[in-house]
Structure formats: C-alpha cells, structure tokens
Amino acid sequence: MISSDFSANGKFFYATITTANHIAALDISDLKNVKRLDNPDETQPTISPHYIKVTPDQKHIVVTDYFVQTGQIGLINTPADYKALYIDIKPNGALSFNRSIDFTGPYTNRGGGRPHSAVVFDLTDPNKPYYY
C-alpha cells in the first residue's frame, strides 16, 4: 500500500496497492465485519497507482499512476502509465472505472507529464474555494 483515503463519513477506506496495479475498496462501517468491495483478482485499468484522494462531494476518487523510476542510477523502477484516473464511487462504496487522463501526450517536447499527486478543489462557492 502506498496511499490511502477515507470517505468523509468514515464508512469506506480506499488504498492504492502500487506493485499489484490495484486499488482496494473496503466497507469499514463495522470493524468486526470489514467487507472487501473490490475484486482482488480483477484487472483494473491502472499501472502503479500511487496517490489517491476522495473528492469533496464523496462521489469520486482521483488516482495518479506514477511512482519512482530511477533508471540505471538506482534500484527502484516501478512501471507506470502516467495517467490520472477519475473513478466513480458507487452508492455501496465500490468503484466504477470509466475515465482517465493520459499524460504521455501533453508536453512531449519535455518527456511528457508525470502525475505524482493531485489537489482536489471544491468550487461550489467561488468566494470560498475548498481544497485539500
């Protein structure tokens, strides 16, 4: 596990499992009976998910697919697809993968984008923007 986040009500827990190319979703509303909402055997559309954040409206999570690549000078070279995933959260807390932004195309003259984390803004009230 690299990064994790909770729903605002504390009912759901989400975590990236980078080297397994997986995002876990758990219902932790009853800690004596934790329920796995994802299928650990499912192939998800992610390579090296790293950063994860539940959006302020609690309807989505944002995940960036990039970890560490040191090339020949280091030991850590985790594959990545350089995408940001915008994943819907179903009413039961499970995930629905349906949108992503590919950062390999933009800025090709500088090697492409490498999303490592994200800041999520809530601009519902433009006079009081909320971010975390």
Side-chain angles (χ1 to χ4, degrees):
M1 182 176 73
I2 294 296
S3 185
S4 61
D5 201 8
F6 293 89
S7 60
N9 64 7
K11 185 176 178 179
F12 303 113
F13 174 75
Y14 302 99
T16 59
I17 308 169
T18 301
T19 56
N21 298 326
H22 199 80
I23 300 162
L26 303 172
D27 180 338
I28 59 170
S29 58
D30 177 359
L31 292 177
K32 293 182 181 180
N33 186 26
V34 174
K35 296 176 187 157
R36 186 112 189 225
L37 302 173
D38 63 299
N39 176 351
D41 297 321
E42 174 188 16
T43 300
Q44 296 177 340
T46 183
I47 300 175
S48 296
H50 176 66
Y51 182 83
I52 189 169
K53 182 59 77 176
V54 178
T55 59
D57 64 6
Q58 305 296 296
K59 294 180 181 179
H60 314 278
I61 60 173
V62 176
V63 174
T64 55
D65 291 354
Y66 172 63
F67 193 56
V68 178
Q69 295 180 334
T70 58
Q72 295 179 349
I73 64 167
L75 299 174
I76 301 174
N77 288 293
T78 307
D81 61 1
Y82 310 116
K83 290 182 181 175
L85 304 166
Y86 195 74
I87 303 165
D88 293 338
I89 298 175
K90 296 178 180 181
N92 71 346
L95 304 176
S96 175
F97 295 84
N98 58 5
R99 292 177 290 233
S100 65
I101 301 168
D102 186 346
F103 281 87
T104 58
Y107 314 110
T108 54
N109 60 330
R110 292 183 264 169
R114 303 289 190 260
H116 190 73
S117 64
V119 176
V120 179
F121 287 87
D122 179 350
L123 302 174
T124 305
D125 180 351
N127 296 317
K128 295 182 182 176
Y130 177 73
Y131 66 93
Y132 63 107

